[in-house]
């Protein structure tokens, strides 16, 4: 009978790399602060031996050494498992997973949260939040009362998306929607548009607030700058409203609504952008079939996911250096749906 292979230890790694066991521990725990100086070639030598031996640190030993489990929780206020590659939350999860793997952390997805008043809740009778060292919160709308309780409890967390204060500042990594919308409005003004309409969905989330704020600030010099709400499935009624107002450019918060609005215009023999320019203010939240490249912007979802883990690990180990609130730039898309208004079109 063959004797079982002996488990490789940190002492073995130290001997093979020609360094002290303390140095191996520092490399494993990724210590790079000013009090610890390890020559790059020494670090590389240790990492090479670790890779060659397939060494895996004991989780308990690692926890004792670093005081942390290296487990990051992910709590989603909407269903977390994407139904397809174009699911809105899929890129966030990809970014979270990528950076967690890079820093040697495992992810714990909290799925047992009960639904109360149509929303998942972090805090409940069987709350397992503290199984993780900290938590990333993901959702279009995050409950302010729960953020306030997290702040009061001092539990490390980071919200994906800008959030208003909740009993104190909220650490977040968000997209700079206000700046992105403002740039699109300025582009429309340069194209000669003077009657602009923001088509929202009646949402109160911070992301919607930021979009509306960016629109209002940039459209101040326009002849008319309205904000209206469109109910789902009301593309024809929204189009009637835009035509009655004489709007030449619609800035549409919801991608699916923009697709439906373009289709309604086409059914009536109108052209986009000749008769009406349509600008989208973000990515699809659900898969929407269309061959049209809309003028608008893309949300840096993967990078938001990556940086949320980066911020959270800094909060957990104390290296964050104060409150972290990051807004990342959106990428503008020069599509085919924003142009110069047709002067021949008879408008009210």
């Amino acid at each position: 009978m063959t004797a079982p292979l002996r488990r490789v230890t940190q002492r073995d790694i130290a001997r093979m790399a020609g360094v002290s066991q303390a140095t191996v521990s520092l490399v494993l725990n990724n210590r790079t602060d000013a009090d610890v100086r390890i020559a790059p070639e020494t670090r590389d030598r240790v990492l090479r031996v670790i890779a060659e031996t397939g060494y895996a640190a004991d989780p308990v030993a690692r926890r004792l050494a670093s005081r942390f489990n290296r487990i990051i929780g992910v709590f989603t206020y909407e269903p977390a498992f994407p139904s397809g590659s174009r699911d809105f939350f899929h890129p966030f999860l990809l970014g979270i997973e990528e950076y967690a793997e890079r820093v040697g952390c495992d992810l714990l997805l909290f799925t047992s949260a009960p639904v109360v008043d149509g929303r998942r809740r972090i805090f409940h009778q069987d709350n397992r939040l503290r199984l993780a060292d900290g938590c990333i919160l993901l959702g279009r709308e995050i409950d302010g009362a729960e953020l306030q309780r997290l702040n009061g409890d001092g539990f490390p967390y980071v919200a994906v998306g800008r959030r208003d204060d909740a009993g104190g500042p909220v650490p977040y990594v968000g997209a700079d929607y206000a700046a992105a919308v403002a740039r699109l409005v300025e582009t429309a003004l340069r194209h000669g548009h003077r009657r602009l309409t923001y088509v929202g969905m009646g949402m109160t989330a911070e992301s919607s607030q930021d979009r509306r704020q960016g629109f209002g600030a940039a459209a101040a010099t326009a002849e008319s700058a309205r904000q209206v709400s469109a109910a789902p499935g009301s593309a024809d009624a929204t189009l009637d409203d835009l035509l009655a107002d004489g709007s030449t450019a619609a800035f549409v918060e919801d991608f699916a609504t923009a697709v439906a609005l373009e289709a309604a215009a086409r059914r009536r023999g109108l052209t986009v952008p000749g008769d009406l320019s349509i600008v989208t203010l973000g990515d699809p939240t659900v898969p929407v079939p269309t061959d049209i490249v809309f003028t608008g912007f893309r949300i840096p979802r993967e990078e938001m996911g990556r940086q949320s883990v980066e911020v959270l690990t800094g909060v957990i180990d104390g290296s964050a250096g104060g409150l972290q609130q990051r807004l990342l730039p959106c990428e503008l898309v020069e599509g085919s749906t924003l142009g110069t208004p047709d002067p021949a079109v008879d408008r009210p």
Side-chain angles (χ1 to χ4, degrees), residues 17-331:
V19 299
S20 69
Q21 190 172 338
T23 298
V24 174
S25 179
L26 292 171
V27 172
L28 284 169
N29 288 290
N30 199 29
R31 289 285 300 278
T32 57
D33 49 82
D35 295 330
V36 178
R37 289 187 172 85
I38 301 175
E41 57 269 24
T42 301
R43 185 181 296 274
D44 291 344
R45 189 165 68 252
V46 172
L47 292 173
R48 186 166 57 252
V49 173
I50 290 171
E52 290 171 353
T53 60
Y55 171 83
D58 179 81
V60 175
R62 286 286 291 273
R63 182 180 182 184
L64 290 174
S66 63
R67 307 188 313 280
F68 304 118
N69 282 316
R70 289 185 177 270
I71 294 177
I72 291 175
V74 179
F75 183 89
T76 63
Y77 281 83
E78 287 90 12
F81 296 103
S83 58
S85 61
R86 293 192 65 182
D87 183 278
F88 182 72
F89 290 109
H90 187 229
F92 291 114
L93 297 172
L94 286 178
I96 290 169
E97 180 186 36
E98 178 188 312
Y99 200 89
E101 182 180 358
R102 186 188 309 178
V103 297
C105 290
D106 291 312
L107 295 176
L108 177 60
L109 184 64
F110 294 107
T111 57
S112 64
V115 176
V116 180
D117 296 330
R119 302 285 295 169
R120 285 180 174 172
R121 290 290 180 261
I122 297 175
F123 296 103
H124 53 92
Q125 185 176 358
D126 198 23
N127 171 33
R128 298 184 177 94
L129 198 62
R130 292 193 180 274
L131 290 175
D133 298 315
C135 190
I136 292 171
L137 307 181
L138 187 61
R140 282 189 283 271
E141 294 191 56
I142 295 180
D143 188 87
E146 296 200 319
L147 291 177
Q148 187 168 351
R149 181 168 173 181
L150 286 169
N151 278 339
D153 290 350
F155 184 76
Y157 75 95
V158 172
V160 177
R162 187 191 71 77
R163 305 296 165 186
D164 294 329
D165 286 2
V170 173
Y172 61 73
V173 177
D176 196 346
Y177 295 121
V181 174
R183 289 173 63 190
L184 290 170
V185 170
E186 291 162 0
T187 301
L189 292 173
R190 287 197 299 271
H191 276 77
H193 292 275
R194 292 295 176 265
R195 299 189 68 84
L196 316 177
T197 296
Y198 181 101
V199 181
M201 301 300 293
M203 297 178 65
T204 59
E206 289 88 345
S207 57
S208 295
Q209 295 174 19
D210 292 349
R211 286 175 169 91
R212 292 194 298 269
Q213 186 272 328
F215 174 83
T221 61
E223 176 186 327
S224 172
R226 303 184 306 146
Q227 297 190 25
V228 301
S229 293
S234 63
D236 283 299
T238 301
L239 181 59
D240 287 338
D241 176 77
L242 293 169
L243 296 176
D245 175 72
S247 296
T248 60
F251 295 78
V252 187
E253 184 176 311
D254 177 65
F255 190 90
T257 299
V259 172
L261 186 61
E262 189 279 336
R266 190 160 20 91
R267 286 194 300 269
R268 299 191 192 186
L270 303 176
T271 62
V272 174
D275 296 302
L276 177 68
S277 286
I278 300 175
V279 178
T280 58
L281 306 182
D283 300 304
T285 56
V286 294
V288 182
T290 181
D291 295 325
I292 298 170
V293 179
F294 283 86
T295 302
F297 62 78
R298 294 191 182 95
I299 304 167
R301 292 177 287 175
E302 280 195 43
E303 186 60 24
M304 289 167 68
R306 281 189 285 267
Q307 292 199 28
S308 67
V309 179
E310 179 185 16
V311 170
L312 181 59
T313 54
V315 172
I316 291 170
D317 66 21
S319 65
L323 176 68
Q324 294 288 307
Q325 294 182 330
R326 302 181 182 181
L327 287 178
L328 309 184
C330 298
E331 177 191 357

